Amino acid sequence: MEKPKRTVIRKLLKESGREQFGQLVHVKGWVRTKRGNKNIAFIAVNDGTIIHNIQVVAEVRNFDENLLKQINTGACIAVTGTLVESPGQEQPVEIQAVEIEMLGFADPETFPLQKKGHSLEFLREIAHLRPRTNTFGAILRIRHAMAFAIHKFFNDIGFYYIHSPIITGSDAEGAGAMFHVTAMDIDNPPRTTEGKVDYTQDFFGKETNLTVSGQLEAELAALALSGVYTFGPTFRAENSNTPRHLAEFWMIEPEMAFYDIRDNMDLAEEFLKYLIRYALDHCMDDLEFLNKMYDNELIDRLKQILDNPFERLSYTKAIEILMASGQDFEFPVDWGLDLQSEHERYLVEKHFGKPVILTDYPKEIKAFYMKQNEDGKTVRAMDVLFPKIGEIIGGSQREEVYDRLLQRIHELGIPEKDVWWYLETRKYGTTVHSGFGLGFERLVLFVTGMSNIRDVIPFPRTPQNAEF
Ligand code: ATP
Ligand code: MN
């Protein structure tokens, strides 16, 4: 039999109509379930291109008994057969099998995903197999769609994608503890005459780390190309065992010359709404699945984001609201406090009932590069706070005045030799500019309705965990 070329299951389920009925088709995928009786077998096959399975109908007498016996959950098979309209309600079409090949057997005695309904905790322990579940298929497809939409959004407004380095010689970014990168023998590193580790003999001739942010490099590019963005992995060696922190996560960092804090907020809001609209327009099958299985308010919550302008207010006003709230917070509220997610979520979920952008934070709790306000106490920072997530974006207008930036660098004891190149952008052709960082996994958390960040990245890196 001459086999037709393989068709992906998404195409069969989404694009075939009456004209395709009766055609011979060829599909490959993994068996989700097999049921039936002694005359007929119904095999649900999924190839991951869509959440739905294609139903394969096999008349038992036409097939080798041993082959049918081996077709169990998890096995990989190829099916050639006739595409027909499905009599069932569950699917528009199904395949009447003419030929079935076993591509890869999965022993039902040991295959860990034999049954449905495993806990997310259990699935984390088998991260090498969890993409085979409906849940992780849905999450991974949504994650892809969000990455694509991010590039599309920026490309359509004329921003350029900048690849910032992953290994950095600067530890001045101030966003958290860093992982060292070295090619030295750590049991026996070269030492100086005073007995200190001699980094001049290391691979780069100096101490290097994994980056915590691509922002400083993005600023250099923005002050040449106007609108740019980075989208890459970032690393934080903090022992934060929370459902919202990873040691390795992806960040999107747009940076814009000629944007002040207001322009920055407008862009952040437009960007987040675009991404959520994109998910609603392009990922509905997967969202419906997650809405049904995990979070029946998910789709409504996504739609609600689109309906209202985000609330914008200063950090100082937010502190007043929190102090007047009468809530019993774990971390007591006071001006100068770095807001915790309990405070952020109170503002978003209880007080305003929509996303909030907080601005003008105390300078002591924000990084050296933020534009200083006239009051001498606050900086032009902006954090975007989301329901269920807390901080999803952190950003600011940047300090563009050379002397003020230098003064702040001195105040904080940052060695000038580490940031001389950054300072030069303020010496030559400086201008107002702004930017922000969106944590990609926090976005995917929000869009999928999952509650643990370990479930929205294929292979999470967290303290004590780098198995897969
Ligand atoms: P948080 O206060 O939530 O720990 P942060 O203020 O340290 O975050 P920024 O340095 O402002 O974070 O980073 C920008 C964005 O990156 C954050 O708004 C968040 O979306 C995301 N992010 C920060 N740290 C992590 C992390 N450890 N894992 C995943 N995403 C993160
Ligand atoms: Mn932040």
Side-chain angles (χ1 to χ4, degrees):
M1 180 179 60
E2 176 94 36
K3 279 181 207 134
K5 266 181 69 182
R6 168 179 166 249
T7 312
V8 297
I9 292 171
R10 175 171 42 79
K11 193 164 185 278
L12 284 187
L13 293 180
K14 286 286 177 190
E15 293 169 29
S16 42
R18 204 151 290 284
E19 314 84 72
Q20 278 76 31
F21 295 159
Q23 275 182 9
L24 200 64
V25 296
H26 183 61
V27 300
K28 293 177 177 172
W30 293 269
V31 175
R32 283 289 206 263
T33 56
K34 185 183 66 178
R35 54 191 182 82
N37 53 41
K38 63 182 191 318
N39 299 320
I40 200 153
F42 299 99
I43 308 161
V45 180
N46 185 286
D47 68 0
T49 58
I50 185 169
I51 188 121
H52 305 297
N53 307 322
I54 188 112
Q55 169 150 285
V56 173
V57 184
E59 282 187 51
V60 171
R61 64 184 156 87
N62 295 338
F63 293 89
D64 175 56
E65 192 184 332
N66 274 326
L67 172 77
L68 285 182
K69 220 180 265 165
Q70 291 194 351
I71 295 180
N72 289 304
T73 302
C76 189
I77 61 172
V79 177
T80 310
T82 313
L83 191 72
V84 297
E85 188 168 15
S86 177
Q89 293 297 306
E90 315 235 305
Q91 60 273 319
V93 293
E94 60 187 37
I95 297 174
Q96 253 151 23
V98 177
E99 190 184 301
I100 301 177
E101 284 166 83
M102 174 62 66
L103 302 179
F105 175 64
D107 186 348
E109 296 296 315
T110 57
F111 181 59
L113 295 171
Q114 204 52 239
K115 289 198 282 300
K116 284 187 175 182
H118 292 294
S119 73
L120 293 168
E121 288 78 11
F122 171 74
L123 293 177
R124 263 173 236 150
E125 288 166 21
I126 51 162
H128 59 304
L129 291 173
R130 68 180 184 173
R132 300 266 193 99
T133 62
N134 286 332
T135 299
F136 283 87
I139 293 167
L140 292 175
R141 283 184 296 270
I142 292 172
R143 188 179 161 104
H144 160 82
M146 289 295 91
F148 178 79
I150 285 162
H151 286 299
K152 179 160 167 53
F153 175 84
F154 286 124
N155 186 66
D156 288 354
I157 58 170
F159 281 32
Y160 295 105
Y161 178 28
I162 299 296
H163 296 93
S164 48
I166 289 170
I167 299 174
T168 170
S170 123
D171 61 3
E173 286 142 344
M178 301 176 94
F179 290 101
H180 288 296
V181 174
T182 183
M184 296 188 300
D185 176 0
I186 57 161
D187 293 325
N188 187 22
R191 293 191 183 270
T192 62
T193 43
E194 297 97 70
K196 291 217 176 98
V197 173
D198 184 6
Y199 285 101
T200 64
Q201 294 192 49
D202 201 352
F203 191 91
F204 297 105
K206 63 180 306 205
E207 258 189 276
T208 50
N209 295 299
L210 291 179
T211 187
V212 294
S213 155
Q215 179 202 316
L216 302 189
E217 293 86 354
E219 281 188 56
L220 311 182
L223 293 168
L225 302 180
S226 287
V228 301
Y229 68 104
T230 70
F231 186 172
T234 52
F235 305 86
R236 303 208 179 162
E238 281 152 11
N239 203 355
S240 329
N241 250 315
T242 82
R244 290 169 301 103
H245 289 88
L246 291 163
E248 175 182 289
F249 65 100
W250 288 67
M251 187 144 59
I252 301 97
E253 293 179 277
E255 192 70 35
M256 299 74 67
F258 318 119
Y259 275 47
D260 65 13
I261 182 93
R262 190 179 302 270
D263 303 321
N264 204 21
M265 287 191 275
D266 291 344
L267 183 72
E269 181 167 343
E270 188 191 332
F271 179 45
L272 288 168
K273 286 180 170 168
Y274 176 92
L275 296 175
I276 289 164
R277 193 174 302 115
Y278 191 93
L280 288 166
D281 288 347
H282 295 86
C283 308
M284 205 31 121
D285 287 356
D286 291 322
L287 290 175
E288 275 169 356
F289 172 80
L290 295 171
N291 195 84
K292 187 172 86 193
M293 302 300 290
Y294 293 97
D295 177 356
N296 57 23
E297 290 168 4
L298 172 63
I299 292 173
D300 285 343
R301 194 181 312 117
L302 295 177
K303 287 182 174 160
Q304 264 172 23
I305 299 291
L306 304 181
D307 291 344
N308 298 304
F310 296 179
E311 187 72 33
R312 298 179 185 194
L313 74 159
S314 70
Y315 167 90
T316 302
K317 286 230 180 68
I319 292 289
E320 285 167 16
I321 292 171
L322 291 168
M323 287 174 75
S325 71
Q327 292 282 308
D328 189 16
F329 293 116
E330 186 186 337
F331 294 86
V333 181
D334 202 1
W335 199 93
L337 169 87
D338 199 0
L339 296 184
Q340 304 293 319
S341 100
E342 56 173 341
H343 310 123
E344 297 172 341
R345 293 185 60 177
Y346 175 82
L347 291 168
V348 172
E349 293 165 21
K350 301 248 164 61
H351 191 82
F352 290 108
K354 57 178 164 169
V356 172
I357 310 183
L358 289 189
T359 56
D360 303 297
Y361 282 72
K363 68 176 183 202
E364 276 71 29
I365 58 170
K366 290 293 181 185
F368 73 94
Y369 48 71
M370 297 192 181
K371 175 83 185 157
Q372 296 160 57
N373 281 321
E374 302 308 317
D375 63 10
K377 292 193 304 193
T378 60
V379 289
R380 240 163 267 178
M382 54 158 234
D383 280 8
V384 182
L385 314 180
F386 254 40
K388 287 197 67 183
I389 306 289
E391 179 184 335
I392 194 164
I393 278 179
S396 70
Q397 185 173 327
R398 318 305 189 191
E399 183 57 78
E400 84 282 15
V401 180
Y402 182 86
D403 292 332
R404 303 194 70 178
L405 183 61
L406 188 63
Q407 186 202 337
R408 194 70 188 130
I409 282 169
H410 287 158
E411 276 169 20
L412 293 171
I414 298 168
E416 228 177 293
K417 67 167 179 41
D418 287 349
V419 288
W420 65 271
W421 46 272
Y422 183 73
L423 278 161
E424 285 210 343
T425 55
R426 277 61 168 175
K427 202 147 77 181
Y428 305 120
T430 191
T431 187
V432 169
H433 64 288
S434 298
F436 60 81
L438 167 67
F440 186 52
E441 285 74 20
R442 297 230 180 134
L443 171 77
V444 181
L445 256 185
F446 184 73
V447 172
T448 57
M450 291 286 112
S451 45
N452 192 313
I453 200 163
R454 292 166 178 79
D455 297 331
V456 298
I457 187 166
F459 303 103
R461 298 288 174 259
T462 50
Q464 301 297 316
N465 177 33
E467 174 80 14
F468 303 94

